[in-house]
């Protein structure tokens, strides 16, 4: 199919640095001394532990049950013993601690019995429940629970599979699509069946020709051999390499022409978007009965053996780096890509479902930012902004704490992709200013909400006191009236009595 | 450290150096057609602007080295000198540079904060303060450097030998005397499309400007807006009464039109910043400049036009905010 492509405004073309890690096939890693499996590995709710310290677990065994409707389950990434359940530092910009289950591997890698579903007979609800129970979340990094997205009752026309992988350095989806294209395509077709889309579009940037070839072959094979998909098409679409073409809204725009506003979701426009890794995980879970216990992680930067590794969840970042041979001079480690990733505060943090890339950064590869200079309003940021906003205006408003104006100028349309800061000749960390302004606005709104709640509470309290006072007064009045009535009744009775009885003799005067 | 962790190799210095580089063809044409006197004033203005910048930064307790070396003061100084007659005395150049840097730039908060184009503010201040000196333009084709140097560095101002009326001046005086445009343009002050000699300088600015557009250093909307504004207005009047109004081509090739199109209205700090706003801002400057030239008290009106439009920038920007991603989408 010759797909008509659309374009999005802005974007940048940084050096891709994909070659460093994309050459070698996905490699397994040896088991570490312990795996720290966080109970919260999704952006919406977590899991409740269902094992206790000392329990023996098998690989793929559920160790944390999905909490509520939005939670996702977690599983033992290998066989071994539950050695601790506690709070551990996570891969988070501020090094937050989070509850986790620590597993000491027994080295046997014994799987729990696989229970694949019979796709021909299983109902939609069963499949979606299994996605939740298999712990599947968006693997592009946002970790949104897939069962919530796919379970929404929207009318979906197009399923978009995101294989763009637009961030420099990251190649995990590239390798995955090259090596496991059939599973990705199969997973995509299952997702299509669940959301009822008529067509599937897989967007891949044109700097990954091998992945495009492998995926195209897998898609053709799938459409040639099976009728199960009801004649639905899956098309592999080559999209121009331009960061952030892999942003959900940007990719949907490029593939379908639809611009989803910041305050809406793709489903409102008949589109759903899943990462290629997520489609792969769906296939493993439903077709093969394997829960999500590992993911592909790109390890790159200043390391001796850059590449892609199939890493059990809970694997300490430090062990992974040691495995790849960190070169001298590395002064920090990034998680995620260089555009949107963050510096890891602690290297003992574990790999989780959203960890797509680890970059050993040295000043040589990632020079420190030159000193910040005043903004000259050159407008390069606005030209580069894929959200179509004017970063330099927002910079002035954020700096001067003019948050109302920042809101009016669409600061919440900012996707923090970093294009503005990348091109800024004055080296202003624009995204930092916007994060600051957003958090201030959120805090202020929260405060206002709390204040208005407090006021409402206070007003109700006052009202209640008034009411109680009024009620009390009314009660007292009623009682008084009653007393008066009974008194007067008594008086009347007395009087009647007196009327009946002969009048008392008048006292002598 | 927070994301993004990589940056394009770009800097304010590089932006400013590109502008200076783009001015080179115009300056070369200036030296060729008018004489090397301009280089003396360029040097004086550069030194004065840098000194003023350093001094004010120090007084304001700002990082001196980082900002003095950003090149912005040099750009301001060069643009001011190129807008001035090249034979103004040195002290006028110094005064202009001081006004541009201290009053027009730093009193408003320094680079990035000034609402008025510093070079144009200095031009306006000087033409009001020294109307005679600011109206003595060197004649084209003489290039007597010694005489120009004499005028710049002081001594007597025997100007008749080296000055000549500019094209805009000649046209204006001729029209005041009720002459026909074609008759006036047939006199010796005119070349192919504009002032004799000066039109080459305009061509030099045009070449530099196209280089700036090609390297995406400036937004094409600004020069296009100015040229459309001035040329369009001139065209309307010229078509209506060709004997009383000069052609759009003449207006665009004369005076500071090309310098303004590619180097003055394109100053990012003081121009409008939205895509539509840039067109409106530059077109407005072009239209006003034409009216000042034709009906106003000064033969050249670009500086006033630019300052007038500078005042309108906040309003223009506010009213022309572009639609954010997805804003035009109908649910």
């Amino acid at each position: 199919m010759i797909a008509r492509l659309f374009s999005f405004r802005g974007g940048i073309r940084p050096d891709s640095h994909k070659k460093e890690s994309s050459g070698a096939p996905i490699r397994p890693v040896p088991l570490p001394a312990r795996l720290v499996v966080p109970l919260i590995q999704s952006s919406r709710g977590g899991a409740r532990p269902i094992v206790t310290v000392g329990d023996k677990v098998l690989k793929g065994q559920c160790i944390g049950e999905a909490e509520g409707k939005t939670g996702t389950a977690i599983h033992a990434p290998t066989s071994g013993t539950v050695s601790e359940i506690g709070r551990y530092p996570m891969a988070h910009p501020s090094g937050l601690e989070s509850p986790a289950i620590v597993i000491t591997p027994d080295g046997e890698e014994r799987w729990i019995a696989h229970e694949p579903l019979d796709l021909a007979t299983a109902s939609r609800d069963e499949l979606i429940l299994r996605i939740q129970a298999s712990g599947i979340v968006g693997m592009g990094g946002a970790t949104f629970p897939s069962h919530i997205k796919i379970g929404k009752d929207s009318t979906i026309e197009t399923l978009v599979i995101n294989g763009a992988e637009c961030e420099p350095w990251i190649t995990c989806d590239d390798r995955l699509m090259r090596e496991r294209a059939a599973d990705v395509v199969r997973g995509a077709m299952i997702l299509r069946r669940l959301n009822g889309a008529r067509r599937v579009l897989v967007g891949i940037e044109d700097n990954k020709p091998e992945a495009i070839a492998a995926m195209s072959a897998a898609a053709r094979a799938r459409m040639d051999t099976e009728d199960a998909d009801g004649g639905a098409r899956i098309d592999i679409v080559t999209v121009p390499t331009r960061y952030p073409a892999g942003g959900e809204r940007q990719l949907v725009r490029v593939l379908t022409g639809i611009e989803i506003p910041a305050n809406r979701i793709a489903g409102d426009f008949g589109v759903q978007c899943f990462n290629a890794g997520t489609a792969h995980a769906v296939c493993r879970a439903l077709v093969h009965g394997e829960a999500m216990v590992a993911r592909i992680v790109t390890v790159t930067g200043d390391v001796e053996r850059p590449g892609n590794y199939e890493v059990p969840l809970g694997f300490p970042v430090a062990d992974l780096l040691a495995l790849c041979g960190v070169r001298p001079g590395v002064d920090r480690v990034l998680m995620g890509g260089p555009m949107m990733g963050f510096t890891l505060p602690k290297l003992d943090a574990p790999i989780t479902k959203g960890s797509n890339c680890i970059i050993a950064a040295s000043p040589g590869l990632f020079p420190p930012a030159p000193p910040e200079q005043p903004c000259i309003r050159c407008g390069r940021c606005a030209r580069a902004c894929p959200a179509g906003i004017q970063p330099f205006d927002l910079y002035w408003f954020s700096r001067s704490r003019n948050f109302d104006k920042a809101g009016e100028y669409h600061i919440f349309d900012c996707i923090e992709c970093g294009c503005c800061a990348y091109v800024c000749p004055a080296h202003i960390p624009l995204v930092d200013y916007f994060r600051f302004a957003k958090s201030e606005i959120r805090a202020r709104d929260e405060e206002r909400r709390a204040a208005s709640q407090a006021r409402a509470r206070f007003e109700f309290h006052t009202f209640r006191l008034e009411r109680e006072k009024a009620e009390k007064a009314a009660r007292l009045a009623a009682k008084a009236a009653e007393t008066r009535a009974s008194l007067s009744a008594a008086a009347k009775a007395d009087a009647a009595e007196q009327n009946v009885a002969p009048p008392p003799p008048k006292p002598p005067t | 450290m927070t994301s993004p962790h990589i940056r394009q190799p770009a800097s304010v210095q590089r932006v400013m150096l590109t502008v200076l580089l783009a001015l080179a063809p115009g300056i070369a044409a200036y030296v060729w057609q008018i004489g090397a006197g301009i280089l003396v004033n360029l040097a004086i203005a550069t030194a004065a602007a840098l000194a003023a910048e350093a001094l004010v930064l120090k007084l304001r307790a700002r990082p001196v080295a980082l900002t003095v070396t950003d090149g912005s003061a040099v750009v301001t100084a060069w643009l001011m000198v190129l807008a001035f007659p090249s034979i103004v005395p040195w002290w006028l150049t110094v005064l202009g540079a001081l006004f541009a840097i201290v009053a027009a730039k730093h009193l408003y908060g320094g680079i990035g904060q000034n609402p008025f184009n510093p070079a144009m503010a200095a031009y306006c201040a000087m033409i009001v303060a020294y109307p005679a000196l600011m109206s003595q333009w060197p004649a084209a084709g003489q290039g007597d450097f010694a005489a120009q140097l004499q005028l710049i560095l002081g001594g007597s101002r025997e100007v008749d030998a080296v000055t000549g009326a500019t094209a805009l001046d000649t046209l204006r005086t001729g029209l005041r005397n009720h002459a026909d445009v074609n008759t006036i343009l047939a006199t010796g002050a005119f070349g192919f499309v504009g002032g004799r000699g000066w039109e080459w300088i305009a061509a030099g600015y045009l070449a530099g400007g196209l280089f700036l557009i090609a390297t995406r250093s400036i937004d094409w909307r600004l020069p296009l807006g100015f040229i459309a504004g001035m040329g369009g207005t001139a065209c309307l009047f010229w078509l209506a009464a060709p004997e009383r109004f000069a052609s759009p081509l003449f207006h665009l090739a004369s005076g500071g039109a090309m310098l303004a199109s590619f180097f003055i209205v394109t100053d990012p700090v003081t121009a409008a910043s939205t895509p539509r706003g840039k067109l409106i801002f530059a077109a407005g400057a072009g239209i006003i400049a034409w009216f000042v030239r034709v009906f106003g008290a000064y033969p050249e009106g670009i500086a006033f036009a630019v300052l007038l439009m500078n005042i309108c920038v906040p309003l223009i920007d506010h009213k022309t905010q572009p639609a954010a991603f997805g804003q035009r989408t109908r649910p």
Side-chain angles (χ1 to χ4, degrees), chain B residues 13-112:
Chain B
Q13 284 87 336
R14 198 182 288 207
V15 172
M16 297 298 167
L17 282 176
T18 313
V19 175
L20 295 180
L21 187 67
L23 280 170
I27 294 173
Y30 209 120
V31 172
W32 169 44
Q33 287 293 329
I34 312 297
I38 186 84
L39 299 179
V40 180
N41 263 329
L42 281 174
I44 293 170
T46 306
L50 287 176
E53 179 99 338
L55 188 71
V56 182
L57 285 169
K58 197 158 170 60
L59 288 175
R60 293 180 59 212
R62 295 296 156 104
V64 177
L66 186 66
T67 310
V68 165
T69 54
D70 70 11
S72 64
V74 182
V75 170
T76 298
W78 286 24
L79 292 176
M80 182 197 78
V81 167
L82 293 173
F84 282 13
S86 63
I87 49 171
V88 293
W90 64 270
W91 54 264
L92 200 153
T93 305
V94 170
L95 209 56
L98 290 179
F99 186 85
I101 299 296
V102 180
K105 186 177 178 184
H106 279 288
L107 287 190
Y108 289 98
I111 184 169

Side-chain angles (χ1 to χ4, degrees), chain B residues 22-23 25 203-215 218 223 258 262-263:
Chain B
L23 280 170
Y205 293 144
L206 175 65
L210 293 177
F211 163 75
L212 287 180
I213 291 179
T215 55
I218 57 172
M258 284 299 115
F262 295 99
F263 296 92

Side-chain angles (χ1 to χ4, degrees), chain A residues 189 192-193 220-232:
Chain A
M189 285 322 229
R192 187 211 64 80
R193 178 177 147 199
R220 265 196 310 277
R222 173 86 193 164
M223 285 191 291
D224 286 349
T225 55
E226 293 199 35
D227 308 322
D229 301 326

Side-chain angles (χ1 to χ4, degrees), chain B residues 121-175:
Chain B
Y123 180 95
C124 289
M126 293 304 118
I127 201 163
V128 170
Y130 304 99
L133 287 173
M134 288 290 286
S135 307
Q136 292 163 355
W137 286 85
Q142 301 193 343
D144 184 346
F145 180 64
Q148 290 182 350
L149 197 61
Q150 172 101 40
L151 285 173
I152 293 166
L153 295 184
S156 65
R157 272 195 90 76
E158 288 294 329
V159 291
D160 288 350
V162 289
T163 61
T166 64
L168 288 170
D169 258 337
T170 314
L171 180 73
R172 184 186 180 79
T173 316
L175 288 172

